[in-house]
Amino acid sequence: MASPKRDFLRITDLDRGGVLELLERAAEWKLLGRGGPRPLAGMTIGLVFEKASTRTRVSFEVAAAQLGAGSTFLSPRDTQLGRGEPIQDTARVLSRYLDALVVRTFEHEKLARIAGYARVPVINALTDASHPCQVLADLLTTAERLGPEVLQRPGLRVAWIGDGNNMANSWLEACALLGFELSLACPSGYDPDPALLARCAGRARVVRSPAEAATGAHVINTDVWASMGQEAEQARRERDFAGFIVDEALVARARPEAIVLHCLPAHRGEEISEAVLEGPRSAIFDQAENRLHVQKALLELLLAGD
Ligand code: CP
Ligand code: NVA
């Protein structure tokens, strides 16, 4: 009997061993580069994106191509989704043509409904609640820079500086699985999902001081103050996030070997200074590249069977 389709809607759709194995496989795909096997030959991946994207779109399209699959990009502007065709119909119809759906949308519940109706694996390419593919790339980058065992040893300290947003939530899920220490410095009113915080069983905490979170950290991580869909809140958020910039003074509080991560796109001079983004501690462009490698491992896992 065929095994049931497997979705990837959140980090915890994998278990601890599954995340570590996927990161190892991603490192192998990275070494293979543009060469390597084509386990998805004959397949086609659909990308259904209701928000803008540079990295996620291109890295999935290239990942599909390098694995031997085709891909098709579908925005609401070009499909009947934009004219109100229900997602339950769209998900079922697309499942008749395509082998996986990579979906970027607003409400996480909408993604879950698509996954419920689709007969093929659905991958979360970002929702308002989470961005698990990005955090897989962040974890690979952390292991590359700080040593392959760093995610498996106790003592890794990760700081999140800024909004308790979709990225922060996915880092909390990673914390719940892998057990590192996660300090999130968020202004009051911008905390991450409390249910995810509770799942970390004391290993994650929210503080109000970026300096407190950054001190002694191995990884300093940040993101925009206003995410996609929150553009109207930009001015208020700029006031509320004053003092939450990742600059050289903040990075100096971290360990000497600490790395700085940002999922991009970045606003230089807001959440991160130009000097840090371009500086020696920045792993940000490796992090962006690693989207490709982890997504090749993920597509292989979900689609290529044993
Ligand atoms: N980091 C990330 O997901 O970037 P895009 O919005 O460009 O896909
Ligand atoms: N938090 C950001 C991440 C962009 C990749 C957003 O949702 O816009």
Side-chain angles (χ1 to χ4, degrees):
M1 206 171 74
S3 44
K5 65 126 175 173
R6 240 177 121 175
D7 300 317
F8 182 67
L9 307 188
R10 51 184 66 78
I11 297 276
T12 48
D13 285 340
L14 298 171
D15 59 18
R16 174 189 164 83
V19 168
L20 295 173
E21 274 173 34
L22 184 128
L23 297 178
E24 269 178 36
R25 184 62 181 145
E28 289 170 9
W29 279 116
K30 187 166 186 170
L31 285 176
L32 287 167
R34 288 175 168 78
R38 300 280 188 268
L40 305 192
M43 295 189 183
T44 310
I45 313 300
L47 282 79
V48 180
F49 276 44
E50 296 192 316
K51 294 179 177 178
S53 172
T54 298
R55 280 145 289 271
T56 308
R57 174 185 177 169
V58 176
S59 57
F60 265 110
E61 288 177 343
V62 172
Q66 291 184 0
L67 294 172
S71 61
T72 182
F73 182 80
L74 302 159
S75 80
R77 207 180 44 203
D78 312 313
T79 61
Q80 300 289 5
L81 270 173
R83 297 178 59 249
E85 183 168 12
I87 52 172
Q88 59 268 38
D89 296 354
T90 306
R92 283 180 290 183
V93 169
L94 292 179
S95 299
R96 302 291 179 110
Y97 310 132
L98 299 167
D99 296 281
L101 297 177
V102 178
V103 179
R104 172 169 284 198
T105 189
F106 291 85
E107 306 85 13
H108 197 85
E109 296 66 32
K110 186 170 182 181
L111 175 78
R113 285 188 69 211
I114 293 172
Y117 281 100
R119 282 197 201 159
V120 297
V122 173
I123 296 174
N124 180 352
L126 181 146
T127 66
D128 291 345
S130 60
H131 195 5
C133 291
Q134 178 67 57
V135 172
L136 291 177
D138 300 2
L139 294 172
L140 177 62
T141 311
T142 301
E144 273 178 355
R145 291 289 184 112
L146 299 178
E149 302 303 314
V150 75
L151 299 173
Q152 298 174 56
R153 277 200 311 261
L156 176 67
R157 295 179 63 180
V158 177
W160 176 267
I161 312 293
D163 193 14
N165 61 12
N166 43 11
M167 282 293 304
N169 286 336
S170 288
W171 266 96
L172 278 171
E173 293 199 327
C175 173
L177 275 190
L178 298 175
F180 48 79
E181 284 178 49
L182 179 59
S183 288
L184 303 106
C186 309
S188 179
Y190 296 96
D191 287 1
D193 182 343
L196 295 178
L197 197 61
R199 284 177 66 179
C200 293
R203 291 188 301 272
R205 64 192 179 124
V206 174
V207 298
R208 299 291 171 226
S209 154
E212 186 181 345
T215 300
H218 297 88
V219 178
I220 297 190
N221 206 335
T222 190
D223 187 12
V224 291
W225 292 339
S227 286
M228 288 180 277
Q230 298 170 334
E231 290 78 7
E233 299 173 24
Q234 178 70 30
R236 173 163 62 80
R237 284 171 173 262
E238 279 178 27
R239 287 194 298 277
D240 291 348
F241 285 82
F244 279 72
I245 186 169
V246 174
D247 59 13
E248 285 173 304
L250 192 75
V251 174
R253 293 179 173 272
R255 291 179 175 259
E257 74 274 24
I259 60 165
V260 175
L261 299 178
H262 189 312
C263 62
L264 300 175
H267 294 131
R268 289 163 163 82
E270 286 184 27
E271 76 277 2
I272 190 165
S273 71
E274 170 89 17
V276 169
L277 196 150
E278 302 289 358
R281 308 255 56 93
S282 169
I284 290 169
F285 294 99
D286 285 350
Q287 181 189 1
E289 179 189 327
N290 284 337
R291 296 294 306 276
L292 171 65
H293 310 301
V294 295
Q295 287 160 199
K296 284 171 80 172
L298 182 65
L299 288 170
E300 179 187 41
L301 176 73
L302 300 183
L303 296 177
D306 296 332

